[in-house]
Amino acid sequence: MSVRVALIGAGIMGADHARILAEDIPGAELTVVCDASDARARAVAEACGAADVMTDPVATIERRDVDAILVASTDETHAPLTLAGITAGKPVLCEKPLAPTAAEGITVVEAEIRAGRRLAQIGFMRRFDPAYAEMRRSFREGRIGSALMMHNFHRNVESPGVWFTESMAISGSAPHEFDVARFVLGTDYASISVFQPKRSDANVAPVFAVLRTRDGQLVNIEVNNNAAYGYDVRAELVGEQGSVELMIPAATRLNAGLSLAQGYAPDWRPRFAEAYRLQNKAWIRSIETGVPSEIAANAWDGYQAILVAEAGARALAEGREVEVERPEAPDLYRAGIDATRGEEVIA
Ligand code: ISE
């Protein structure tokens, strides 16, 4: 019996998720595509074989022929639609961020506690990226000794528009590193400082964050939304006995004309294609088995990322190190933490 999935939001990410569900996840059936634009919903539905289109997200969630919901609509709708899914008792894969603010994000955690079950998975797909998974495995197997630092940089070709600000780099791009570094290290953050260099043009300058973890490690994150040369995400985890770094994925390296060339992805979708596939496969698997993925980010993880982002925005605005709020994880979410997040095998 396939899991009948409704997609809400037929934009860039929604269209990519629809393609993944249709092409790569045999156990899933994309039944409905919902978008405020009927035309956009139809285009994705036709491309991916969905039977129906809608423009009302709540009515979509409540349909009897929908088992699960993938939320890829605009950020401010993520928490309300995830809450509607929880109210309907249906699993939700919610694209990051869980919500624009911690005050909204915690409402999803509270709803799951009231429901007594975890129904929301949050779209921090890098946890499923094979390279980050190998980095985490190497660390957990003791191959580099105790962790000291994690260096990260996250470069986009160009900002998505003139409306994009450095605060959005912290709230929209950096949460991938906030989450994956926390996941790889198995820790939480104690504080964050954020700096910016000065660009010669009017483009948004990179943000450079330095975070201290509660275990005394340092995590630095460069987010450059105007790197110009390519979509480039790298990380190196440095331990007392060694380090492990992500390799830049490339199908080929061109040797010609006394030079060597390797291409970059234009954006995150091809760079993390396997991560999205494995993330969505794990989500469908969790619905089929009734057992939430312990690798995937849950609502508590989504809430943690927002807390760091809000502290980071303050750190940038106020030019100082800001403490990151560290509430105790509710019991509903401790299973993942206490179970040392075993290495799920998702082929
Ligand atoms: C975007 O919102 C994403 O989520 C992408 O994964 C990230 O790489 C990009 O920098 C963000 O702007």
Side-chain angles (χ1 to χ4, degrees):
M1 181 78 171
S2 293
V3 176
R4 298 168 299 179
V5 177
L7 168 71
I8 300 179
I12 285 179
M13 281 315 302
D16 210 41
H17 281 299
R19 178 190 57 74
I20 294 167
L21 289 173
E23 294 177 4
D24 295 335
I25 319 284
E29 179 192 347
L30 182 64
T31 54
V32 187
V33 176
C34 174
D35 192 277
S37 158
D38 181 75
R40 201 160 69 163
R42 284 190 188 288
V44 171
E46 281 160 20
C48 300
D52 201 359
V53 297
M54 292 186 73
T55 55
D56 178 338
V58 176
T60 300
I61 290 167
E62 291 169 352
R63 282 175 64 138
R64 294 169 61 86
D65 62 344
V66 167
D67 302 315
I69 298 94
L70 200 157
V71 175
S73 41
T74 48
D75 291 2
E76 72 280 1
T77 66
H78 289 184
L81 294 178
T82 302
L83 286 169
I86 294 166
T87 302
K90 298 183 180 181
V92 179
L93 172 53
C94 174
E95 259 295 338
K96 45 68 65 179
L98 171 60
T101 67
E104 293 167 278
I106 196 65
T107 64
V108 177
V109 169
E110 291 163 348
E112 289 194 321
I113 291 171
R114 285 195 302 273
R117 55 195 289 219
R118 293 179 357 214
L119 282 166
Q121 179 175 318
I122 313 306
F124 286 119
M125 79 294 175
R126 293 193 194 175
R127 290 165 175 245
F128 292 90
D129 176 64
Y132 277 110
E134 191 164 306
M135 172 186 277
R136 180 171 177 264
R137 196 162 39 249
S138 299
F139 170 49
R140 285 157 61 95
E141 290 170 356
R143 301 180 72 180
I144 59 169
S146 300
L148 293 167
M149 299 166 283
M150 186 169 173
H151 305 302
N152 304 270
F153 62 70
H154 175 172
R155 298 175 178 164
N156 280 271
V157 174
E158 57 182 1
S159 301
V162 293
W163 43 268
F164 192 85
T165 65
E166 51 269 11
S167 181
M168 291 175 178
I170 296 170
S171 62
S173 300
H176 281 293
E177 276 78 15
F178 294 153
D179 178 71
V180 78
R182 177 173 167 263
F183 177 63
V184 166
L185 289 168
T187 188
D188 282 312
Y189 298 111
S191 72
I192 183 170
S193 303
V194 182
F195 310 91
Q196 264 194 302
K198 182 167 172 43
R199 281 187 67 104
S200 63
D201 57 23
N203 287 328
V204 174
V207 292
F208 191 88
V210 179
L211 299 100
R212 298 179 193 278
T213 72
R214 67 163 189 238
D215 300 318
Q217 299 132 345
L218 291 177
V219 173
N220 63 273
I221 304 169
E222 171 211 317
V223 176
N224 183 352
N225 291 87
N226 289 289
Y229 68 85
Y231 183 77
D232 189 7
V233 169
R234 302 189 217 181
E236 180 179 13
L237 177 56
V238 182
E240 293 176 351
Q241 311 301 326
S243 83
V244 54
E245 55 187 306
L246 306 183
M247 298 309 288
I248 305 173
T252 61
R253 178 182 284 179
L254 176 67
N255 303 299
L258 301 181
S259 70
L260 173 154
Q262 182 175 320
Y264 282 100
D267 66 42
W268 58 89
R269 290 166 296 171
R271 169 69 176 76
F272 289 109
E274 182 63 355
Y276 281 112
R277 187 186 73 84
L278 291 171
Q279 168 194 258
N280 293 13
K281 196 174 184 67
W283 180 55
I284 294 300
R285 168 81 58 79
S286 72
I287 297 167
E288 290 167 337
T289 61
V291 179
S293 163
E294 292 307 348
I295 297 291
N298 55 45
W300 183 253
D301 297 313
Y303 175 59
Q304 294 301 300
I306 302 169
L307 287 176
V308 185
E310 289 186 340
R314 281 203 309 277
L316 179 63
E318 299 169 16
R320 66 180 179 90
E321 183 175 7
V322 172
E323 196 175 316
V324 178
E325 200 184 325
R326 266 190 292 146
E328 191 65 28
D331 291 344
L332 185 64
Y333 301 95
R334 294 217 60 81
I337 298 169
D338 296 347
T340 64
R341 302 255 174 145
E343 299 291 335
E344 285 169 47
V345 177
I346 306 132

